[in-house]
Amino acid sequence: MPEITLAGWENKIRSYAERNTISLDRATVRRAAKTINRNFETSNALTLTGDELIARVLQHSDPTGEEAVKNVMHERNQAAAARRLAA
């Protein structure tokens, strides 16, 4: 199995974020790539695809629980507003 470099993971993360409309700055992409690369090298979970590894790292990107709750509530409010406007 060919080894994926840090730059390769960064490119995969950027394309994943673009496909899933996630806004990520350069530092976040770099940190996520390092985390994924470290997890990929040290874990035996080689059955996970690149997208699954990326999703697993990005879903826990909030630094605190309060920030996570705030972000989830913001997303729910945006979705509710979009449904109201569509009706």
Side-chain angles (χ1 to χ4, degrees), residues 65-84:
E66 291 84 8
E67 188 72 21
V69 170
K70 186 174 83 173
N71 289 338
V72 168
M73 294 307 293
H74 178 72
E75 289 174 9
R76 285 186 179 178
N77 291 338
Q78 294 289 346
R83 284 193 304 270
R84 283 193 303 272

Side-chain angles (χ1 to χ4, degrees), residues 3-10 33 37:
E3 187 175 320
I4 300 175
T5 64
L6 196 57
W9 282 117
E10 288 177 11
N37 194 42

Side-chain angles (χ1 to χ4, degrees), residues 5-16:
T5 64
L6 196 57
W9 282 117
E10 288 177 11
N11 291 336
K12 285 180 175 282
I13 291 167
R14 284 188 196 96
S15 66
Y16 177 86

Side-chain angles (χ1 to χ4, degrees), residues 28-41:
T28 303
V29 170
R30 184 87 173 150
R31 265 192 320 271
K34 286 181 180 180
T35 302
I36 290 169
N37 194 42
R38 187 172 46 251
N39 289 346
F40 188 77
E41 290 175 351

Side-chain angles (χ1 to χ4, degrees), residues 18-75:
E18 187 175 306
R19 283 193 315 269
N20 293 287
T21 61
I22 301 172
S23 175
L24 298 174
D25 62 356
R26 186 174 183 207
T28 303
V29 170
R30 184 87 173 150
R31 265 192 320 271
K34 286 181 180 180
T35 302
I36 290 169
N37 194 42
R38 187 172 46 251
N39 289 346
F40 188 77
E41 290 175 351
T42 60
S43 74
N44 291 332
L46 299 179
T47 57
L48 294 176
T49 66
D51 280 355
E52 289 171 339
L53 283 170
I54 293 168
R56 186 174 285 187
V57 169
L58 292 181
Q59 75 182 4
H60 300 292
S61 63
D62 294 321
T64 64
E66 291 84 8
E67 188 72 21
V69 170
K70 186 174 83 173
N71 289 338
V72 168
M73 294 307 293
H74 178 72
E75 289 174 9

